[in-house]
Amino acid sequence: MTTVKTLLGLPGLRLRPRAGTDLLDRPVTRIYVTELSDPGRYLSAGELVLSGLLWWHAPGDAEPFVAALARSGAAALAASGADSGGIPDDVVDACVRHRIPLLEVPADLSFSVITEQVVLALAAASDGARKRLQAAAEAPVETLVERAAAELGLPCWVLSGVGRLVAGTAPLPIPPEDVVRRYAAREPGPLTVVPVEGRHAVPWLIAIGGPLSTAQAELAEEVAGLVGVTRARAAPPEVSLPAEVCVVALRTEGSDESRDVLSEWLPDSLLFDSSGDTSYAAVARPSPAGLSTVEPLLRAKRILCGISDPGPRAEAAESARYALAVAAERTGRVSVVTAGEVDVHHLLLAGAPAGLRAALRRRVLGPLLAYDAEQHTDLVHTVRVFLECSGSPTRAAKALHVHVNTLRYRIGRAGELLGVDLTEFTDQLDVYLALRAGSPGGD
């Protein structure tokens, strides 16, 4: 990494610090020559600004110039006083006030010589940084990130597409899921984000704490390649689970990404079954967070997930499968259902073949379905609302926006057609199960 102090050490330049001697460790990314009185719109972070001070005429002129350097994050100002009788105190004071290192350029030194030597120093530093990074190619991701931060002069992080922080050199200024969301939406943010190379369904991202020069961007791409190789080379972690586990069933509709999503979303899980778009994993304690974050980065049309309660793996897997069936019946691009959300009738009906459920529905509800078809009524819906209101005529009438006497008449008529008493609990149970048997998940 080239710093302001590095440039002071170049013997051919003979630069002399006049202000900001405690700031000489700032990284320099490129050089910019200007004589504009306010060059703010053209500046970027990390630049060494070179000026002959032709814009300075009287005290006060330095304030807008130096303030613009400070706002842009310039590394330093290298100024020549050859045409102004030396560097004015006004310029020195402004640099002290805005904490901009000020380097005095010898009056006999050409700006072209300075530019050439700074460019050569930056190129040598970039080549050296690349070699140092490549020397660490076999190191863990955490070490690569530390080396990258040192070479770039900026904090760095590696994030998973599920919003998980893999490694970092400082606290993230925004939540990791926000970094991923902004990257997926191509929204600007406070960090520069570079995708890690690789063929994984769930990508990794490198986030860097600031804008990058061309040389820094090239170095970041080098880091991304090395992290990708390290990720591909990593062996699956050894997982030790208790006797009772939670099982997560995950389906990626329209793609075969389920296994990669599960292994990345739940890195401490044990994948034990994967076929096409559906995979199963056992884990001590799952967290539903992260699936909404990664969804925009996948090819899958939807992500469906069922999570069991803790139990023996075989039983937990069945519970997760039923929860997954319920998730499939819900709307939304990401649908997560836990075992606690699955009603008993869901479990009973989910275990029955589709043909048996259809036969049950026809046997119990046949006369009512036929009546609705012939008379263009909807007594089936009335019965369902009535039963879901716990058999309360008052509540059901309110839900259907009809008079309670109308509701009682309709329920009586439906009971006659079905040959049951819809005020009796056992008859209510049979009819309700038949009503819920109309869909694969029991909904």
Side-chain angles (χ1 to χ4, degrees):
M1 179 176 64
T2 302
T3 65
V4 178
K5 186 181 294 184
T6 304
L7 303 183
L8 288 175
L10 297 178
L13 299 187
R14 295 175 285 128
L15 301 175
R16 183 167 69 96
R18 292 290 304 277
T21 55
D22 58 329
L23 305 171
L24 300 181
D25 288 331
R26 287 184 175 179
V28 177
T29 58
R30 60 181 179 178
I31 187 168
Y32 174 68
V33 182
T34 184
E35 297 301 340
L36 296 173
S37 59
D38 185 355
R41 72 178 67 183
Y42 304 108
L43 297 176
S44 59
E47 287 182 321
L48 172 70
V49 178
L50 185 58
S51 178
L53 305 182
L54 299 182
W55 46 265
W56 191 90
H57 303 287
D61 289 351
E63 175 61 27
F65 183 91
V66 178
L69 269 60
R71 286 194 302 271
S72 70
L77 169 62
S80 171
D83 295 316
S84 56
I87 296 180
D89 291 341
D90 179 43
V91 175
V92 177
D93 293 343
C95 287
V96 171
R97 188 163 56 251
H98 290 284
R99 294 184 58 77
I100 293 292
L102 173 61
L103 312 180
E104 184 172 3
V105 177
D108 62 342
L109 187 61
S110 166
F111 278 12
S112 62
V113 173
I114 298 175
T115 302
E116 179 183 3
Q117 291 209 27
V118 170
V119 169
L120 288 174
L122 291 172
S126 178
D127 186 56
R130 189 171 289 106
K131 289 179 179 178
R132 287 189 292 273
L133 282 171
Q134 290 173 347
E138 301 293 325
V141 172
E142 292 80 5
T143 301
L144 283 173
V145 173
E146 290 174 0
R147 295 285 179 88
E151 299 297 345
L152 293 170
L154 294 167
C156 295
W157 302 267
V158 174
L159 309 173
S160 165
V162 296
R164 177 172 61 89
L165 178 63
V166 179
T169 59
L172 265 171
I174 60 176
E177 56 270 21
D178 282 358
V179 178
V180 179
R181 180 187 58 79
R182 290 182 177 183
Y183 170 78
R186 300 296 187 265
E187 293 179 4
L191 307 176
T192 298
V193 180
V194 179
V196 171
E197 298 177 9
R199 297 185 178 182
H200 299 82
V202 180
W204 278 8
L205 308 171
I206 294 178
I208 303 165
L212 304 182
S213 66
T214 301
Q216 285 177 312
E218 292 174 354
L219 193 61
E221 293 289 346
E222 186 81 23
V223 175
L226 293 174
V227 171
V229 171
T230 300
R231 182 188 183 189
R233 190 176 58 234
E238 294 185 5
V239 178
S240 177
L241 296 173
E244 292 197 346
V245 295
C246 291
V247 169
V248 177
L250 188 135
R251 178 178 303 150
T252 48
E253 285 190 349
S255 77
D256 58 356
E257 299 165 305
S258 61
R259 183 179 182 87
D260 279 351
V261 173
L262 263 185
S263 61
E264 186 63 29
W265 179 42
L266 304 173
D268 296 325
S269 66
L270 175 65
L271 274 72
F272 62 88
D273 187 18
S274 181
S275 56
D277 63 356
T278 305
S279 298
Y280 291 79
V283 65
R285 188 184 298 274
S287 170
L291 292 181
S292 296
T293 301
V294 76
E295 179 269 327
L297 303 175
L298 302 178
R299 293 181 286 108
K301 298 176 181 177
R302 298 178 71 207
I303 302 177
L304 311 175
C305 180
I307 303 175
S308 77
D309 288 328
R313 195 170 83 178
E315 295 178 11
E318 279 296 294
S319 177
R321 182 172 69 84
Y322 293 143
L324 181 64
V326 175
E329 294 302 309
R330 295 188 177 178
T331 59
R333 291 182 60 84
V334 177
S335 177
V336 180
V337 173
T338 62
E341 300 175 67
V342 182
D343 295 328
V344 173
H345 69 267
H346 277 127
L347 296 176
L348 294 174
L349 293 172
L356 180 58
R357 291 198 302 269
L360 171 65
R361 183 178 176 84
R362 286 193 302 270
R363 177 170 62 81
V364 177
L365 301 178
L368 194 58
L369 293 169
Y371 180 85
D372 276 348
E374 292 172 1
Q375 302 297 320
H376 304 291
T377 56
D378 198 2
L379 286 181
V380 169
H381 178 64
T382 299
V383 170
R384 178 162 179 162
V385 172
F386 173 70
L387 296 178
E388 288 179 344
C389 289
S390 303
S392 167
T394 303
R395 288 173 52 196
K398 185 176 181 180
L400 292 167
H401 306 289
V402 298
H403 193 275
V404 68
N405 291 336
T406 302
L407 186 283
R408 288 194 174 97
Y409 169 77
R410 291 180 182 178
I411 292 302
R413 181 63 178 139
E416 291 174 4
L417 291 167
L418 295 175
V420 298
D421 183 355
L422 287 175
T423 64
E424 290 292 328
F425 173 74
T426 53
D427 288 342
Q428 289 178 340
L429 181 60
D430 288 343
V431 173
Y432 187 68
L433 287 174
L435 285 166
R436 300 305 290 263
S439 62
D443 280 319

